[in-house]
Amino acid sequence: MGGISNEIWQPIRLTIELAALTTAILLIVGTPIAWWLARSKASWKEAVAAVVALPLVLPPTVLGFYLLVVLGPDGPGGALAGLWGGRTLAFTFEGLVFGSVIYSMPFVVQPIRNAFDAIGDRPLEVAATLRASPTRAFWTVAIPLARPGFLAGAVLGFAHTVGEFGIVLMIGGNIPGKTKVLSVAIFDFVETSQWREANILAAGMAAFAFVVILTMMLLEKRTARINR
Amino acid sequence: MKVITSLKLALGVALACVAGSSAFAAQTNVAVAANFTDAAKEIAAVFKAKTGHEAVLSFGASGQFYTQITQDAPFQVFLSADNERPKKLVDDGLGVAGSNFTYAVGKLVLWSKAPGVVKGEETLKQASFAKISICNPVAAPYGAAAVETMKALKLYDTLKPKLVEGANITQAYQFVQTGNAEVGFVALSQVINDKDGSRWMVPQSLYAPILQDAVLLKKGASNEAATAFIAFLKGPEARAIIEKYGYEVGKSS
């Protein structure tokens, strides 16, 4: 039975690692993007926003296909992998992180941008009159005020990465401990008629999703109360 | 007016065609093991030309189809990549007893899209590649045959860290096709028309013959197109196509 429980625990651990790393990267990369989208006066900024939001609409197979090519030996991913002697970024944990960052980006950028939008110009102007530099105003005024947006973005980014399936199936190669995440493990169990294991994982996922959505709703309610 | 009349005429003819074809031709849903994709498409085309019936094909891993069929999937014919699952479906009462038969014997090859990479058994022994792709050995018979081959050569443990797994044989092929894996175990039928790459026909002594069985499912028992498709699959035209794709065909019935 030890083997079976490892078969279940390993994907869970891997999925949490993938989601946590992806969320961390997205908070770092997504914040400046969200800030720019909220503050810029550029006429083409909505075009950038649309590109960021693309994964919301695209089937995962589109991303999976492009990633397979881009990460492969004939694409930039292969060149990058060459730096440490690899041939391709497909079938690697790093490749999955890259794919997940793109796939989950709108779920992090959008709430943060909304939060920045909601702040408006006024608090930052006030900060400026108090002689705060723009950088300082950003860190001490904008970020704290946008906290609910960051929280929502982090929760959604994490949850959405956990729920990712199509892309991982297409670029992962189903390697235990490296690319066999929860959703793929469930697919595998169902395909091979191991329904007990599939049940355990699927029920766990359903409970997890419930908790996430409930948290989001409570969070929203609290934010609404603060804003009132 | 002339235009309208001719449009009406065209519409009438079109309607008559639709009505006419539906009166004689039936449709059947066929689940096809992914390795048989190209051959099945060709067979379905000839089948339609000869009988007027249409076989609507779905492609996937045999294990996946087996699970779906046990859950009441709307398939009437199942072309598996093994002989176990059709037998099990008959035992489960989902397949028509006695309808399962071997339509093809599959051949496993080690394949690379680059020339000169795959030279034979020694390619596996030297293992000078980063990744080797197979398909899921539990869900897909070609994956099982690939594992069996590596075990027979006593190379499984050394190659295991380099294995990447596709959900079905098409994905195993696609990993090699996109260059993400340098080599892979695929079905001969998938690379039969490939002229540029290199391949090694895995000797039959290294793996148990891949007997690919078809079965008429209970859902198709009274469907004219389904029974006709099974009959057609046993006939000389289908057998010629199957052989063309690198399969051996079972004994003539």
Side-chain angles (χ1 to χ4, degrees), chain A residues 8 81 96 113 157 167 174 192 199 217:
Chain A
I8 287 179
L96 288 198
R113 180 193 172 175
I167 294 182
N174 202 9
T192 54
N199 249 324
M217 287 178 163

Side-chain angles (χ1 to χ4, degrees), chain B residues 111-176:
Chain B
W111 178 66
S112 164
K113 73 164 177 172
V117 172
V118 173
K119 298 191 186 80
E121 202 178 306
E122 64 265 28
T123 306
L124 288 174
K125 288 204 171 109
Q126 288 158 359
S128 53
F129 44 77
K131 296 288 175 208
I132 172 168
S133 81
I134 62 170
C135 52
N136 187 321
V138 186
Y142 281 86
V147 170
E148 208 182 323
T149 299
M150 289 183 277
K151 281 185 173 157
L153 294 169
K154 301 200 173 14
L155 293 169
Y156 184 61
D157 291 325
T158 44
L159 290 175
K160 205 173 173 202
K162 300 188 169 191
L163 289 183
V164 291
E165 220 177 74
N168 55 47
I169 193 81
T170 308
Q171 214 189 357
Y173 169 81
Q174 166 212 322
F175 284 156
V176 183

Side-chain angles (χ1 to χ4, degrees), chain A residues 144-174:
Chain A
L145 281 176
R147 214 185 61 183
F150 280 98
L151 215 54
V155 173
L156 281 179
F158 188 91
H160 192 245
T161 307
V162 169
E164 180 177 338
F165 171 67
I167 294 182
V168 186
L169 188 76
M170 286 182 77
I171 66 169
N174 202 9

Side-chain angles (χ1 to χ4, degrees), chain A residues 68-69 71-74 87-91 169-175 178 187-188 190-193 195, chain B residues 61 63-64 66-67 70-71 113 130-131 136 138-139 161 163-165 167 171 174-175 178-182:
Chain A
L68 201 59
V69 176
L71 298 181
D74 305 325
R87 276 186 75 252
T88 167
L89 276 181
F91 320 127
L169 188 76
M170 286 182 77
I171 66 169
N174 202 9
I175 305 170
K178 275 193 196 151
F187 175 74
D188 221 41
V190 175
E191 250 204 347
T192 54
S193 301
W195 286 22
Chain B
Q64 178 192 326
Y66 172 78
T67 307
T70 61
Q71 297 309 302
K113 73 164 177 172
K131 296 288 175 208
N136 187 321
V138 186
L163 289 183
V164 291
E165 220 177 74
Q171 214 189 357
Q174 166 212 322
F175 284 156
T178 56
N180 281 297
E182 297 100 311

Side-chain angles (χ1 to χ4, degrees), chain B residues 66-134:
Chain B
Y66 172 78
T67 307
Q68 290 175 355
I69 290 166
T70 61
Q71 297 309 302
D72 212 33
F75 295 118
Q76 292 155 336
V77 176
F78 176 33
L79 306 190
S80 183
D82 69 348
N83 57 354
E84 290 294 320
R85 289 180 179 91
K87 209 181 295 162
K88 259 199 278 180
L89 286 169
V90 170
D91 293 345
D92 294 346
L94 294 164
V96 175
S99 70
N100 46 331
F101 72 100
T102 304
Y103 63 91
V105 182
K107 298 287 164 202
L108 184 70
V109 293
L110 183 69
W111 178 66
S112 164
K113 73 164 177 172
V117 172
V118 173
K119 298 191 186 80
E121 202 178 306
E122 64 265 28
T123 306
L124 288 174
K125 288 204 171 109
Q126 288 158 359
S128 53
F129 44 77
K131 296 288 175 208
I132 172 168
S133 81
I134 62 170

Side-chain angles (χ1 to χ4, degrees), chain A residues 56-190:
Chain A
L56 286 175
V57 223
L58 286 180
T61 38
V62 173
L63 286 178
F65 165 58
Y66 283 136
L67 283 171
L68 201 59
V69 176
V70 167
L71 298 181
D74 305 325
L80 194 64
L83 296 180
W84 56 87
R87 276 186 75 252
T88 167
L89 276 181
F91 320 127
T92 62
F93 182 71
E94 291 79 8
L96 288 198
V97 171
F98 181 75
S100 304
V101 163
I102 292 176
Y103 184 57
S104 294
M105 187 170 284
F107 291 84
V108 177
V109 169
Q110 200 56 44
I112 300 179
R113 180 193 172 175
N114 291 346
F116 283 148
D117 272 337
I119 296 171
D121 294 337
R122 184 105 182 107
L124 296 168
E125 284 166 8
V126 172
T129 56
L130 295 172
R131 296 197 163 185
S133 67
T135 325
R136 192 161 165 192
F138 174 76
W139 285 106
T140 57
V141 178
I143 296 260
L145 281 176
R147 214 185 61 183
F150 280 98
L151 215 54
V155 173
L156 281 179
F158 188 91
H160 192 245
T161 307
V162 169
E164 180 177 338
F165 171 67
I167 294 182
V168 186
L169 188 76
M170 286 182 77
I171 66 169
N174 202 9
I175 305 170
K178 275 193 196 151
T179 60
K180 189 172 185 172
V181 298
L182 255 174
S183 54
V184 173
I186 294 175
F187 175 74
D188 221 41
F189 284 135
V190 175

